[in-house]
């Protein structure tokens, strides 16, 4: 597949603080990549470097194979020559222009003939479901409508890349789901590379072809949502993409792809992962992968025994806090056990992953 | 795939092309600002060490600075400080009280009061002074009234005095205090006061223990601002002080230059000393503004708790009506009256009515030219001033290239320099230039003097506009110039309009800066009115004042939304 965006060795500093620290990645044409990470890790800055709104100190950026920035060649294409479409976190809808003129702006500055402007704007407004609002002043729109105007403005001129900076952060849950699906559909239709910044893990998991987890200006792990969620490299990534449980275990046998050890309560364990040698290790298992059952004296591999500390009804399931020795595990389960009851907690070896210890919380 | 060939072609390697253009614009802006503001100051500094004026055979000396310590000058300094401190106290008290009544109580005529204060805000100081001479001088209307009606012939009113100067200045400066204090008062978080009520405090305790302490920084800021406005006030002491032999620093400086032989060196030293006082006050005032810590509300839809004035309400309303009468209505009536009679008599029943004074305005070529000059200076000059101010505001708030802080400081310097001093600086530095004696000198001088009006008005709006509004235009494909023109300019329009209006009015009625640099060919309205008045031609002076006021007020009404919004 052709690459839509290529970034090599990007470095951005503010003063003597390095905000982006040698970041490199490729995004294929038609691919949607989410930048995920805690606040202040440099997601917005990365996006702004691609758009040309920040001047990086080092590195090279290509859009569709054309260099738009290269520190060695002293090349920096102005933002308005990069043919990008960007949705700002603040929407940046121009209050003095109507909905139609906001969306028409990218075409107007490219001297598009009026008839074509009319056609393209209306088609785009149709796509985002705002055709009836064309004459409205942008100030008379709700947050969700403004957001859709911002999306329409970003795609109307058929850009080479799409850049989204937390575009849904101000919407309510239902509108967010609907608009997210819409964004995905539009991006597929345009078949361009897209970068989507968010710090909402659910959004990243559901939307992305690939997720780049960022931390302190570096790409910490890259992979498909399934990989990131199912096989996080370490506790940091595991934490960023969703609620999770950590267990410290003692490993006594290392196999090919699996390791064996004992849990804090003495239960035998077999879990997924590679280790150089036996020793202490930290593993993680998602709360929804834990099976909870009333304690029937059952013993065996990956079967822990504990007491229910707390039970919260969440609608579709219960959320349990289960004390296993000194550790407390969170588990989501439809099974009903009263607080204080004894339970067994079990899981499949493939759902429990050995983590790298570096970066453990 | 949507990457068109055209789009690829557009991608010329462009590092620096627009960066260089921005740099160039910034440097030009900086150079013009520095030239306008630094030149007169340097000229003054130079002049303060010279034995004679520009073009004379002078040498270097320290006598001018020693001259500051002479008893006559020290007396003037003390009188100036006295007048300014008293003026500042009264203006801030009245302005603050009226702002409090308007925004914190159930006062009934809020809109009318704000309109009246707006009118007196735009009522030129020299016209107000003239009206009060007509009213309060020996032989003026008030004394005549006392004599006719009550048989008091001792002429107790004497406007030509320290008290007279203070009286007129308080009327004139009170609106500034009002406008300084109304923001903090109206945006103060009401829940702070409500919490005090809930704790059992009565309204007066709340005002004293909560509202006042929260307002301490805004009040301090208002006091300093009014003090500076009073120190630099030229029109009032010139019109009522000079005839009464009461001089302030501003008029002293003027007299040093305009009486032969002129003592330009001492005048320069006096001017710099004055600037030190005002500049320091403004510096402190700005620090205070930055520190003002009254918590404000930003949310919407809250209701202010309005204090019930009860039986005090009527009294408050009458006092405010009195302010409107004294600061605007009665002076206007006095001017209308004087402009419509053949020769001045205090008793309207003895007056001979005539249109002659108005006719004379049009028949005298000098006056018509001065009207045209004023319109050129105000109408055209304001375009230049606003353009420069916009460039500065955009540079210091948005572009922020290296050196923007220096530009910011430069552009706010004129706040601390009295008008008469800037005028003297221009007199000294522009004598050499070929434009001397043309309207350009006046225009440059006004642009420099009122630069902060432009940068503050436009700057406040630039700060409000999120940076992403412009960035969105760039990523949409609009270049720097196109996005400035299509996005920033329309969004800045309200600020540009009110900035233009402010500058127009300021240039239109300026007298202090013009007093030293006008020539017979470049006379402006304010100067004409003053000279008619000095030549005891009250009739024509009043008629011209009425014309000026009508122009000012109709402009204000036309653009009323900005200053009068309640
Ligand atoms: N113009 C600037 N000057 C100095 N520091 C900046 C600037 N812009 C961003 N930073 C710093 O760079 C770091 C990364 O900022 P960035 O906006 O990229 O974070 P982010 O990952 O988008 O965070 P969030 O999720 O909160 O939006 C932050 O520590 C921020 O303080
Ligand atoms: Mg961000």
């Amino acid at each position: 597949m052709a690459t839509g965006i290529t970034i090599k060795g990007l470095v951005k500093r503010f003063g003597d603080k390095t905000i982006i620290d040698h970041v490199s990645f490729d995004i294929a044409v038609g691919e949607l990549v989410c930048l995920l990470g805690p606040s202040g890790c440099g997601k917005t800055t990365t996006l702004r470097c691609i758009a040309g709104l920040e001047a990086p100190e080092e590195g090279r950026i290509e859009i569709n194979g054309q260099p738009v920035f290269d520190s060695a060649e002293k090349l920096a294409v102005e933002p308005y020559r990069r043919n990008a479409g960007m949705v700002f976190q603040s929407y940046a809808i121009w209050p003095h222009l109507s909905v139609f003129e906001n969306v028409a702006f990218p075409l107007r500055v490219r001297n598009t003939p009026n008839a074509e402007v009319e056609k393209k704007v209306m088609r785009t407004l149709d796509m985002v479901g705002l055709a009836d609002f064309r004459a409205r002043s942008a100030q008379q729109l709700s947050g969700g409508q403004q957001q859709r105007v911002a999306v329409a403005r970003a795609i109307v001129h058929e850009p080479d890349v799409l850049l989204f900076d937390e575009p849904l952060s101000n919407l309510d849950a239902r509108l967010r789901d609907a608009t997210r699906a819409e964004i995905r559909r539009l991006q597929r239709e345009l078949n361009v590379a897209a970068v989507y910044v968010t710090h909402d893990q659910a959004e990243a998991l559901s939307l992305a072809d690939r997720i780049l987890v960022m931390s302190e200006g570096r790409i910490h792990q890259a992979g498909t949502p399934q990989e990131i969620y199912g096989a996080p490299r370490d506790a940091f990534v595991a934490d960023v993409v969703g609620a999770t449980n950590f267990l410290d275990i003692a490993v006594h046998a290392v196999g090919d792809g699996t390791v064996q050890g004992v849990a804090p309560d003495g239960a035998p364990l077999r879990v997924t992962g590679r280790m150089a040698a036996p020793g202490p290790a930290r593993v993680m298992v998602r709360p929804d992968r834990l099976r909870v059952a009333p304690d029937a004296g059952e013993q065996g591999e990956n079967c822990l025994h504990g007491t229910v500390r707390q039970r919260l009804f969440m609608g579709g399931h219960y959320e349990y806090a289960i004390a296993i020795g000194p550790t407390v595990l969170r588990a989501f389960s439809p099974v009903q056990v009263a607080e204080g009851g004894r339970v067994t907690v079990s899981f499949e070896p493939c759902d429990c992953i050995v983590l790298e210890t570096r970066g453990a919380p | 795939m949507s990457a068109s060939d055209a789009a690829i072609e557009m991608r010329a390697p462009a590092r620096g092309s627009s960066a260089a253009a921005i740099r160039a614009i910034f440097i030009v802006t900086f150079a013009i600002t520095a030239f306008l503001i630094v030149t007169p100051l340097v000229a003054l500094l130079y002049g303060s060490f010279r034995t004679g004026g520009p073009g004379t055979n002078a040498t270097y000396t320290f006598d001018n600075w020693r001259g500051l310590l002479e008893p006559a000058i020290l007396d003037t300094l003390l009188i100036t400080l006295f007048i300014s401190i008293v003026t500042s106290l009264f203006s801030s008290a009245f302005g603050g009280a009226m702002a409090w009544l308007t925004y914190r109580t159930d006062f009934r005529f809020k809109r009318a009061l704000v309109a009246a204060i707006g009118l007196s805000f735009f009522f030129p100081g020299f016209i107000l002074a003239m009206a009060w001479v007509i009213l309060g001088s020996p032989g003026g209307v008030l004394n005549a009234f006392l004599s006719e009606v009550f048989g008091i012939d001792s002429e107790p009113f004497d406007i030509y005095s320290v008290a007279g100067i203070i009286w007129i200045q308080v009327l004139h400066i009170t609106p500034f205090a009002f406008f300084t204090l109304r923001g903090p008062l109206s945006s103060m978080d009401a829940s702070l006061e409500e919490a005090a009520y809930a704790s059992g405090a009565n309204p007066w305790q709340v005002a004293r223990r909560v509202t006042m302490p929260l307002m301490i920084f805004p009040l301090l800021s208002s006091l300093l601002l009014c003090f500076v406005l009073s120190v630099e006030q030229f029109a009032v002491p010139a019109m009522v002080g000079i005839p009464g032999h009461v001089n302030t620093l501003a008029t002293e400086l003027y007299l040093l230059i305009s009486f032969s032989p002129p003592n330009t060196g001492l005048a320069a030293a006096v001017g710099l000393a004055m600037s030190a006082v005002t500049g320091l006050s403004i510096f402190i005032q700005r620090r205070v503004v930055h520190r003002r810590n009254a918590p404000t509300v930003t949310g919407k839809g809250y209701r202010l708790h309005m204090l019930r004035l009860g039986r005090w309400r009527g009294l408050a309303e009458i006092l405010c009506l009195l302010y409107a009468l004294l600061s605007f209505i009665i002076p206007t009536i006095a001017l209308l009256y004087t402009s419509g009679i053949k020769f001045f008599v205090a008793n309207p029943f003895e007056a001979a009515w005539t249109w002659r004074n108005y006719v004379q305005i049009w028949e005298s070529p000098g006056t018509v030219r001065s009207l045209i000059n004023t319109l050129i200076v105000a109408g055209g000059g304001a375009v230049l001033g606003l353009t420069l101010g916009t460039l500065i505001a955009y540079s210091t708030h948005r572009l922020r290239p290296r050196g923007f802080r220096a530009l910011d400081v430069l552009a706010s310097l004129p706040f601390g320099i009295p008008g008469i001093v800037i005028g003297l600086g221009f007199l000294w530095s522009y004598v050499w230039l070929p434009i001397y004696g043309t309207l350009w000198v006046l225009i440059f001088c006004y642009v420099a003097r009122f630069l902060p009006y432009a940068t503050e008005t436009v700057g406040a709006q630039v700060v409000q506009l999120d940076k992403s509004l412009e960035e969105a235009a760039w990523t949409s494909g609009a270049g720097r110039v196109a996005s400035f023109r299509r996005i920033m300019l329309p969004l800045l329009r309200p600020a540009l309009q009110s900035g233009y209006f402010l500058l127009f009015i300021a240039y239109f009625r300026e007298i202090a800066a013009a007093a030293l640099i006008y020539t017979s060919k470049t006379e402006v309205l304010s100067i004409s009115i003053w000279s008619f008045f000095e030549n005891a031609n009250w009739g024509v002076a009043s008629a011209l004042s009425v014309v000026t006021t009508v122009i000012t007020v109709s402009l204000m009404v036309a653009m009323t939304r900005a200053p009068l919004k309640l």
Side-chain angles (χ1 to χ4, degrees), chain A residues 12-15 17-20 37-48 54 89 165-166 197-199 214, chain B residues 467:
Chain A
K12 172 71 195 165
R13 297 191 189 94
F14 286 115
K17 256 178 59 193
T18 305
I19 303 300
I20 306 290
S39 187
C41 68
K43 306 182 296 290
T44 297
T45 308
T46 309
L47 205 67
R48 290 171 60 85
E54 303 282 357
Q89 185 167 1
D165 191 359
E166 302 194 30
V197 166
T198 177
H199 53 218
M214 284 189 75
Chain B
K467 210 173 140 198

Side-chain angles (χ1 to χ4, degrees), chain B residues 3 17 83 105 141 159 170 191 259 265 348 372 386 410 414 439 448 518 564:
Chain B
S17 72
I83 289 177
T105 73
V141 175
I159 202 76
V170 167
S191 65
F259 274 88
I372 293 171
L386 190 65
L410 261 187
L439 284 178
Y518 80 93
L564 281 189

Side-chain angles (χ1 to χ4, degrees), chain B residues 333-471:
Chain B
I333 294 172
L335 288 173
L336 279 171
Y337 168 67
T338 316
S339 72
I341 54 178
K342 275 206 180 87
F343 44 88
F344 186 78
V345 283
N347 186 341
F349 299 105
E350 294 165 5
W353 298 87
T354 176
W355 288 107
R356 198 190 58 190
N357 295 318
Y358 288 94
V359 176
Q360 259 192 18
I361 296 178
W362 306 111
E363 285 179 349
S364 133
T367 318
V368 171
R369 186 166 62 206
S370 116
L371 180 61
I372 293 171
N373 283 345
T374 310
L375 288 174
I376 292 173
V377 169
V383 173
L384 295 182
L386 190 65
T387 308
L388 184 62
T390 306
L391 283 172
I392 293 172
Y394 191 69
S395 298
T396 54
H397 291 295
R398 188 51 51 81
L399 299 178
R400 304 191 149 227
R402 209 176 317 138
F404 80 90
R405 262 174 236 284
L407 180 60
D408 196 27
V409 171
L410 261 187
S412 58
L413 273 185
F415 259 141
I417 310 174
I420 189 88
V421 179
I422 291 200
L424 180 61
F426 268 77
L427 176 70
W428 208 304
S429 45
Y430 281 63
V431 140
W432 319 102
L433 295 182
I435 59 165
Y436 186 74
T438 68
L439 284 178
W440 284 111
V441 179
L442 276 178
I443 290 177
F444 286 177
C445 183
Y446 288 3
V447 168
R449 168 150 159 73
F450 297 108
L451 195 53
Y453 286 33
T455 54
E456 299 273 309
T457 314
V458 181
Q461 183 84 35
V462 172
V463 170
Q464 293 276 307
L465 295 176
D466 197 87
K467 210 173 140 198
S468 64
L469 289 169
E470 214 179 351
E471 289 174 345

Side-chain angles (χ1 to χ4, degrees), chain B residues 79-90 223 227 230-231:
Chain B
I79 288 178
T80 309
L81 290 180
F82 174 75
I83 289 177
S84 301
I85 289 170
V86 177
T87 302
S88 162
L89 285 172
F90 277 105
L223 282 170
F227 174 77
S230 173
V231 171

